[in-house]
Amino acid sequence: MLPLSREYQHLANSPLYCICGEESVPVEAVQAGVFRCLIPAHGLPGLVNFYLSIDRSSPVSQVLSFEFRSHVYKNVVSTEEDSNWEECQFQIRLAHLLFSTSKSLDIFSRGPSRITTKDATKFFLKTLTIDVSSWAYLIELIRNGKMLLTQAKESLLELTLKNKLNEWLLERLMYRDSIIERDEQGQGVLHLCAILGYVWAVYPFTLSGLSLDFRDKFGWTALHWAAYYGREQMVAALLSAGAKPNLVTDPTPENPGGCTPGDIAIVKGYEGLAAFLSEKALVQQFNDMKLAGHASGSLETATSQGPSANEEDNSLHDALAASRMAADAAARIQAAFREHSFKLRTKAVESSNPEMEARNIIAAMKIQQAFRNYEGRKKMAAAAHIQGSYRTWKLRTEFLNKRRHAIRIQAAFRGFQMRKQYRKILWSVGFLEKAILRWRLKRKGLRGLHVGPTEPITSQHQGNATEEDFFRASRQQAEERVERAVVRVQAMFRSKKAQEEYRRMKLTHIQAKGTD
């Protein structure tokens, strides 16, 4: 709103112009004393004069100061661009690690005659064939116009990194250098490849003999990073190549016992991937314990199912098989823990008691252990029976819910009736107990109870107390990890998405095994 001066009020109906600096535009009267106009963009920011005029030069209103400001462009980046930038940063870190730690031997240009060791020669011949075929395939696709420009650039970058990785691994084999460098953030070459999802990097690492379970400065392996970013194909490739899914990270205040790849995947929201990794971790732990002689027996293999057109039935069948496998492995691991604890207690009894008394105690412990194993077998048989009749659970769900509610109502009513009588009985018993105590303890009541000082019991094995506490804490953490893994596998039944993701992960793992 820019009102006219009093001496120019009679010109309100005349054509007026708005002067803003060097720009002059016509104005439109909205109502008395109110005008509007569209001022074009100004070149430079700053203060200019702003007024109304008739002849586009002399003002007929109050002269005001108008400030032009420069445009403020906000850096609005989409989520896809953020992920692309993050991926680019990881690629730069990988390239810098490969090129900065290279010994610049130019081995591939010298040929296999300059390669001295047998393993290095074998590695050179196998990777050279793959590299030549990859370059020829890329050139053919570009020549025939079957690839976009962005895809060609990405393929060129991957092939360059692949060739440099092969040269980098060959240098380690020639110098017999098993030390793998890390970058400033603490990750190695295989960790960055797992983050980027470069499945092709697993084969040369396996061929070179370097460990796939190499840890970064936080204790994370490549499988941990692949689970963190949800790289299903990378997880399948690492597992098929022999990476261990039951390794834990370094302890932190939030996780004193460390985290498995399954723990990391469930935190990031990959439920199916977490269930698959948890099942593989239980199976791997059982196999390791069996190889060390701490466990016996074998796990039940999943029964094959005929072809089904319904994908939902296939996912449910795979989830049931995974649940049975995880429960069986967890039960055998727990039994191995109990057996190991029984052996330790047996040795302690034999070393601290006379021969006859020790035999009696050991016999009693064996009977107790046999009874626990019998109870465990009974529970496993009952669980197998329940799983066998699990197909009819949909028909019994409503009935069981109604029955459960009725039982709760009955139990609450009975408890209410019993609590009325229980208060009277409790008061009577308490009164009688106080009377008897006063009579027996010379009218002193409960205050007459005196506890004599107890002599401290000296242990004959004080030197091993710290070690026993350490192994007890380690076993407790291992048992907690086993229980979490079983719960994570069984939690797939609550989500169809998790079941589909588990089946997709299982098929990817089978395919990765087939390509090996």
Side-chain angles (χ1 to χ4, degrees):
M1 181 182 291
L2 191 63
L4 295 173
S5 301
R6 291 182 179 180
E7 59 271 18
Y8 298 106
Q9 288 291 335
H10 62 283
L11 300 176
N13 296 325
S14 302
L16 298 175
Y17 298 92
C18 178
I19 309 300
C20 185
E22 298 179 356
E23 299 292 336
S24 173
V25 294
V27 299
E28 179 184 357
V30 178
Q31 61 182 21
V34 179
F35 305 93
R36 67 179 180 182
C37 64
L38 180 62
I39 300 175
H42 198 264
L44 297 175
L47 295 175
V48 295
N49 293 328
F50 180 72
Y51 57 89
L52 294 177
S53 175
I54 296 178
D55 55 359
R56 299 189 179 185
S57 60
S58 58
V60 295
S61 66
Q62 182 181 0
V63 179
L64 302 178
S65 295
F66 185 82
E67 182 181 3
F68 273 105
R69 296 182 180 179
S70 59
H71 293 282
V72 179
Y73 296 98
K74 295 183 179 179
N75 188 15
V76 181
V77 184
S78 62
T79 306
E80 183 178 359
E81 291 178 350
D82 286 339
S83 61
N84 292 336
W85 272 112
E86 186 179 9
E87 182 179 0
C88 181
Q89 291 175 0
F90 284 122
Q91 289 173 342
I92 293 173
R93 287 174 55 189
L94 176 60
H96 177 263
L97 186 59
L98 289 174
F99 283 91
S100 62
T101 58
S102 176
K103 298 178 175 58
S104 301
L105 294 178
D106 197 14
I107 298 174
F108 283 90
S109 62
R110 300 185 183 187
S113 59
R114 306 296 297 271
I115 303 175
T116 56
T117 62
K118 182 179 180 181
D119 295 337
T121 304
K122 181 179 178 181
F123 179 85
F124 172 79
L125 294 176
K126 286 189 175 182
T127 54
L128 181 62
T129 305
I130 297 174
D131 293 339
V132 172
S133 60
S134 300
W135 281 109
Y137 181 70
L138 178 61
I139 293 172
E140 182 180 359
L141 289 178
I142 296 175
R143 185 179 300 168
N144 297 331
K146 297 181 180 180
M147 182 178 290
L148 299 176
L149 179 60
T150 56
Q151 296 177 351
K153 289 181 178 180
E154 292 177 359
S155 300
L156 177 62
L157 176 60
E158 286 191 11
L159 274 179
T160 304
L161 293 176
K162 186 177 181 180
N163 287 341
K164 190 60 184 178
L165 175 63
N166 293 336
E167 182 180 350
W168 186 82
L169 291 173
L170 186 59
E171 291 176 359
R172 280 10 180 218
L173 289 175
M174 285 192 61
Y175 284 92
R176 302 184 183 275
D177 188 4
S178 60
I179 300 176
I180 303 178
E181 294 83 358
R182 302 186 180 97
D183 62 356
E184 296 178 355
Q185 282 76 14
Q187 279 79 43
V189 173
L190 186 59
H191 304 133
L192 295 174
C193 290
I195 294 173
L196 292 168
Y198 289 163
V199 182
W200 47 262
V202 177
Y203 176 72
F205 258 92
T206 308
L207 192 62
S208 66
L210 296 178
S211 176
L212 296 176
D213 298 322
F214 173 70
R215 299 174 181 269
D216 61 3
K217 70 175 183 179
F218 302 107
W220 287 40
T221 63
L223 194 59
H224 286 92
W225 284 111
Y228 182 85
Y229 285 94
R231 308 290 188 183
E232 295 182 359
Q233 294 183 355
M234 192 68 186
V235 170
L238 288 171
L239 289 176
S240 62
K244 292 185 177 181
N246 59 332
L247 299 180
V248 296
T249 61
D250 292 343
T252 58
E254 295 80 10
N255 300 293
C259 294
T260 61
D263 297 333
I264 295 173
I266 196 64
V267 171
K268 299 300 292 183
Y270 307 112
E271 297 181 1
L273 179 60
F276 183 81
L277 286 171
S278 299
E279 178 197 359
K280 294 300 179 183
L282 289 172
V283 174
Q284 182 66 38
Q285 186 173 355
F286 172 75
N287 292 332
D288 292 343
M289 295 177 69
K290 183 178 178 181
L291 185 63
H294 299 313
S296 60
S298 59
L299 299 175
E300 297 181 0
T301 57
T303 57
S304 60
Q305 187 189 23
S308 176
N310 192 356
E311 189 67 23
E312 184 177 354
D313 293 341
N314 294 332
S315 301
L316 182 60
H317 179 268
D318 290 341
L320 287 171
S323 178
R324 287 194 295 267
M325 179 70 72
D328 188 15
R332 294 181 184 276
I333 292 171
Q334 296 286 0
F337 284 154
R338 290 194 295 268
E339 186 70 23
H340 182 67
S341 178
F342 171 73
K343 291 180 181 179
L344 294 179
R345 292 200 307 270
T346 302
K347 291 181 181 180
V349 169
E350 289 177 352
S351 61
S352 61
N353 291 277
E355 182 177 359
M356 197 65 186
E357 185 179 359
R359 289 179 180 178
N360 295 333
I361 295 175
I362 292 172
M365 293 170 63
K366 287 183 178 179
I367 294 172
Q368 186 180 12
Q369 184 73 11
F371 178 76
R372 289 178 180 174
N373 293 334
Y374 173 72
E375 289 293 327
R377 286 194 296 270
K378 283 178 62 179
K379 292 179 181 179
M380 290 297 296
H385 179 71
I386 292 172
Q387 291 176 354
S389 59
Y390 186 70
R391 297 176 181 177
T392 60
W393 69 274
K394 291 184 178 180
L395 300 177
R396 299 196 304 268
T397 302
E398 295 182 1
F399 170 74
L400 292 177
N401 289 334
K402 293 179 181 179
R403 181 184 176 188
R404 192 179 299 110
H405 290 309
I407 291 173
R408 288 179 180 175
I409 293 172
Q410 291 176 358
F413 180 74
R414 290 174 183 171
F416 175 72
Q417 294 292 336
M418 292 298 295
R419 282 193 294 272
K420 288 183 177 179
Q421 303 297 329
Y422 176 72
R423 292 176 182 176
K424 297 179 181 180
I425 296 173
L426 183 63
W427 179 83
S428 302
V429 173
F431 181 79
L432 182 60
E433 184 181 8
K434 289 181 180 180
I436 294 174
L437 286 174
R438 285 178 179 273
W439 176 67
R440 293 292 299 274
L441 301 175
K442 297 180 181 181
R443 300 182 180 275
K444 292 183 180 181
L446 296 177
R447 292 175 295 177
L449 295 176
H450 299 284
V451 181
T454 58
E455 296 181 359
I457 301 174
T458 59
S459 175
Q460 298 179 359
H461 305 280
Q462 293 180 355
N464 297 331
T466 305
E467 185 177 359
E468 291 177 358
D469 293 340
F470 172 76
F471 284 111
R472 190 180 297 109
S474 300
R475 175 184 170 182
Q476 183 179 1
Q477 293 177 358
E479 290 178 349
E480 290 176 356
R481 285 197 296 269
V482 170
E483 291 176 359
R484 288 200 305 267
V486 174
V487 171
R488 197 173 297 120
V489 175
Q490 294 176 350
M492 282 193 299
F493 294 103
R494 297 196 296 265
S495 173
K496 291 184 179 180
K497 179 182 177 182
Q499 296 175 13
E500 295 173 356
E501 186 177 346
Y502 173 84
R503 176 167 176 79
R504 185 173 66 250
M505 189 65 227
K506 182 178 178 181
L507 295 177
T508 306
H509 185 226
I510 294 174
Q511 184 180 3
K513 277 188 174 181
T515 55
D516 291 345

